Amino acid sequence: MRPIYLDNNATTRTSPDVVAAMLPFFSEQFGNASSTHAFGSEVAGVVRDARRHVQALLGAAHDHEVIFTSGGTESDNTALLSALEAQPERNQIVTTAVEHPAILSFAAYLRQTRGVEVTMIGVDGNGRLDIDAYRTALGPQTAVASVMWANNETGTIYPVEELAGYAHEAGALFHTDAVQAAGKIPIDLSSSAIDMLSLSGHKLHGPKGIGALYVRKGVKFKPLLRGGRQERGRRAGTENVPAIAGLGKAAEIAAAGIAEEQTRVRSLRDRLEQGVLQQIGGSMVIGGREERLPNTSSITFEFLDSEAILHKLEQAGIAASSGSACASGSMEPSHVLRAMNVPATSLQGAIRFSLSRENTPQDIDRVLNVLPGIISHLQSMSPLWRERHEAGSSAQGSSGGAAHVFAQS
Ligand SMILES: *Cc1c(COP(=O)(O)O)cnc(C)c1O
């Protein structure tokens, strides 16, 4: 049986067309894009084309607003550091409790090493940002507000355009980590207030180790990496031409399919959720129903442990995740679910299913075939579940009486 991959927010398969677009730049076209001879100008051309494809995916006004980096992490780190260094009179970062570690760890590092004030804004049970707290936190001391476009664990989408407007009222820059949004939902920066945006190749069927940082024209910028004059002096280091060519191809493919794929993937995701909620007691979908990425579903199973569920799923040939890939393997509950105040009885049992354009209706059928059995088996071994649900009745089974949607919006 073909294994089913439902962990696309951790990484995606590099599409075969992307691999094909990369290959020549490992062999015949090996030149350095900065060289003035033909070997160089050949590859300079592909870097330019790739930049235009990323520009088009983002709806950016100018191609030189796109800087190639080594990925989402570098883009996120660079954005925060640049905002601070370009505005030495401002010493505060405003961000959220649900960001990726590429923002949260780096902000913590800046606090420890530079005394930067880091203000973390909380979210409600739907994952929605406390906008009043966000507005209150912004002030003349704020260098940058950084809020992700969409959350990697729950898929919650944040109102980044509105948030960018508030940041500007305080004279601050606005950055968004759009690693999970880019390629999945439309982005149009042509008339946007967003100053900086991060994306990553391997989250949109491109290669790993390549990404981009969008910096709106006119925004003051300080590089993280210093050395050669690559990327107009904004990111030193010989260009990773094969990966840049791959990212360009991935952006081109994603942009062409975004409208159709959004709808297709959303209907698969919704069928998965409906099936689970109907068939499995004690299951809850985490996050608001509306403002969510079409591909992401975080479902938690009361009184169960996600590691045990994942293990059984894996035996059935299904790969999912317990949340952020960086946190799995440790028994720490996810910082995102904790910030959402997910009830303690459901905190350990969260499974993230993240789909991609490669998933089929048959994949969802398979999950719906095996998951109810896995969960009822684990529930039958969970003393807490049995205490709560079997006392005096037989709540077990597929009646779905206990299923509910947590925090429906
Ligand atoms: C994966 C991810 C990153 C990190 O990107 P890399 O290219 O793996 O460094 C940052 N932010 C979010 C939201 C992500 O999902």
Side-chain angles (χ1 to χ4, degrees):
M1 245 190 310
R2 187 177 67 91
I4 295 177
Y5 185 73
L6 293 172
D7 197 11
N8 288 279
N9 286 9
T11 197
T12 55
R13 187 166 82 109
T14 311
S15 108
D17 290 339
V18 167
V19 175
M22 294 172 70
L23 286 178
F25 303 99
F26 290 109
S27 47
E28 309 92 68
Q29 293 174 259
F30 61 84
N32 184 323
S34 304
S35 302
T36 50
H37 46 64
F39 292 90
S41 47
E42 249 176 6
V43 302
V46 77
V47 171
R48 188 188 55 230
D49 292 347
R51 202 184 305 281
R52 289 187 181 153
H53 285 306
V54 175
Q55 176 196 2
L57 180 68
L58 299 179
H62 308 281
D63 62 346
H64 283 292
E65 293 175 326
V66 175
I67 303 170
F68 290 116
T69 67
S70 67
T73 302
E74 183 187 327
S75 295
D76 283 349
N77 282 207
T78 304
L80 296 186
L81 191 65
S82 169
L84 289 164
E85 293 191 338
Q87 309 165 97
E89 70 288 0
R90 291 169 177 255
N91 195 37
Q92 182 204 22
I93 294 170
V94 175
T95 187
T96 81
V98 297
E99 297 298 310
H100 189 274
I103 292 289
L104 290 181
S105 303
F106 194 63
Y109 167 80
L110 292 170
R111 184 181 55 221
Q112 285 153 16
T113 56
R114 299 181 175 223
V116 171
E117 189 193 332
V118 178
T119 310
M120 297 225 282
I121 310 300
V123 298
D124 68 12
N126 283 317
R128 279 189 299 236
L129 197 68
D130 181 344
I131 298 208
D132 290 338
Y134 172 82
R135 297 189 70 173
T136 307
L138 295 166
Q141 72 290 352
T142 313
V144 63
S146 180
V147 180
M148 65 199 334
W149 197 306
N151 185 270
N152 43 304
E153 293 190 34
T154 60
T156 304
I157 294 173
Y158 292 95
V160 282
E161 208 57 63
E162 178 191 352
L163 299 172
Y166 297 139
H168 286 184
E169 284 171 18
L173 293 173
F174 185 82
H175 165 257
T176 184
D177 175 341
V179 170
Q180 291 294 345
K184 292 181 187 145
I185 53 175
I187 292 180
D188 181 9
L189 298 177
S190 61
S191 60
S192 165
I194 292 164
D195 297 300
M196 293 183 281
L197 174 148
S198 303
L199 65 81
S200 172
H202 74 101
K203 304 288 174 79
L204 50 103
H205 301 281
K208 295 168 180 65
I210 188 73
L213 177 64
Y214 159 90
V215 181
R216 193 163 48 78
K217 191 177 175 192
V219 168
K220 272 195 257 166
F221 182 80
K222 298 281 184 188
L224 173 67
L225 296 188
R226 292 159 188 276
R229 297 288 307 156
Q230 292 90 354
E231 299 295 289
R232 299 188 158 200
R234 295 171 303 173
R235 201 279 189 179
T238 301
E239 296 85 346
N240 184 351
V241 177
I244 289 172
L247 175 57
K249 184 47 102 179
E252 183 187 359
I253 297 171
I258 216 162
E260 212 175 299
E261 261 311 299
Q262 265 202 104
T263 317
R264 195 193 69 90
V265 163
R266 176 179 285 112
S267 80
L268 292 183
R269 193 270 316 268
D270 289 350
R271 203 154 66 75
L272 171 68
E273 288 184 352
Q274 277 155 22
V276 168
L277 291 174
Q278 266 163 27
Q279 295 180 54
I280 304 179
S283 58
M284 307 188 292
V285 173
I286 295 173
R289 301 284 284 166
E290 300 311 320
E291 293 301 310
R292 232 175 356 136
L293 288 177
N295 81 315
T296 307
S297 183
S298 178
I299 304 179
T300 177
F301 301 93
E302 209 182 9
F303 301 119
L304 299 188
D305 189 71
S306 57
E307 299 300 318
I309 303 168
L310 288 175
H311 183 67
K312 294 277 179 202
L313 279 172
E314 168 120 55
Q315 287 175 334
I318 298 165
S321 137
S322 60
S324 69
C326 324
S328 56
S330 73
M331 292 306 286
E332 276 287 286
S334 134
H335 71 283
V336 175
L337 303 192
R338 262 180 309 172
M340 292 171 72
N341 269 318
V342 170
T345 51
S346 292
L347 205 48
Q348 299 288 352
I351 303 292
R352 179 185 71 186
F353 298 97
S354 48
L355 284 60
S356 81
R357 63 172 183 250
E358 300 196 335
N359 290 115
T360 64
Q362 290 73 36
D363 293 349
I364 302 306
D365 290 343
R366 241 211 17 250
V367 176
L368 291 176
N369 254 320
V370 302
L371 191 58
I374 290 173
I375 299 297
S376 71
H377 172 70
L378 293 172
Q379 285 170 341
S380 72
M381 300 195 311
S382 157
L384 284 170
W385 169 269
R386 291 171 54 183
E387 195 179 303
R388 184 70 71 90
H389 291 275
E390 286 181 352
S393 73
S394 57
Q396 194 54 266
S398 59
S399 70
H404 56 291
V405 177
F406 175 65
Q408 186 150 17
S409 66

